[in-house]
Amino acid sequence: MARLQSNDSAALEILFGRYARLVLGIARGIVRDSGEAEDVVQEAFFYLYKKSMLFDEAKGSAKHWIIQIALHRALDRKSHLARRGFYAGTDIAALGDTLMGRRIWTGRSRQAQPRAA
């Protein structure tokens, strides 16, 4: 981290090589999508590069700081995706069927109609 703080770009490559898989695992566990998780990895390491001066060794190790960055970036991404309906369970085919006036199965069963006495 000291090398990164002194603007040594090779230090970022070293940190990426060492912690990218860990960050990817955290991101996948939170956002539940490989492509989005890869974006989180990029965001996390970009943040790490831009904000390396915020790292304080007295507060913990570089690994723990990177884990915190990954966790918060992934949670932010999940929130962003949820606001835009990413987790709503719709996909392009289902959307197309709905637009074409076809009835699609949504996984919900119909409630039974009350019987007349």
Side-chain angles (χ1 to χ4, degrees):
M1 284 304 299
R3 287 177 55 191
L4 187 60
Q5 288 174 334
S6 65
N7 295 325
D8 182 357
S9 60
L12 183 63
E13 292 178 37
I14 293 167
L15 289 171
F16 187 85
R18 193 173 292 169
Y19 298 113
R21 284 183 40 196
L22 175 63
V23 172
L24 183 62
I26 291 168
R28 270 193 196 139
I30 293 172
V31 298
R32 302 283 185 208
D33 182 84
S34 294
E36 293 296 335
E38 290 172 3
D39 288 347
V40 169
V41 172
Q42 289 181 358
E43 290 174 18
F45 280 94
F46 183 69
Y47 179 88
L48 180 77
Y49 176 73
K50 296 297 267 184
K51 303 291 184 174
S52 64
M53 297 312 261
L54 297 176
F55 174 70
D56 182 2
E57 190 174 14
K59 293 181 180 178
S61 69
K63 180 180 180 179
H64 289 118
W65 192 57
I66 293 169
I67 289 170
Q68 288 298 312
I69 291 170
L71 175 67
H72 290 284
R73 292 287 155 197
L75 290 171
D76 288 347
R77 188 67 178 177
K78 182 176 182 177
S79 176
H80 169 82
L81 293 170
R83 284 191 307 272
R84 282 155 182 75
F86 184 80
Y87 299 108
T90 58
D91 63 3
I92 299 301
L95 180 59
D97 285 344
T98 301
L99 293 175
M100 296 299 292
R102 297 181 195 158
R103 187 168 176 211
I104 59 171
W105 183 74
T106 61
R108 292 185 224 144
S109 62
R110 288 187 182 186
Q111 291 183 339
Q113 297 293 327
R115 292 186 173 189

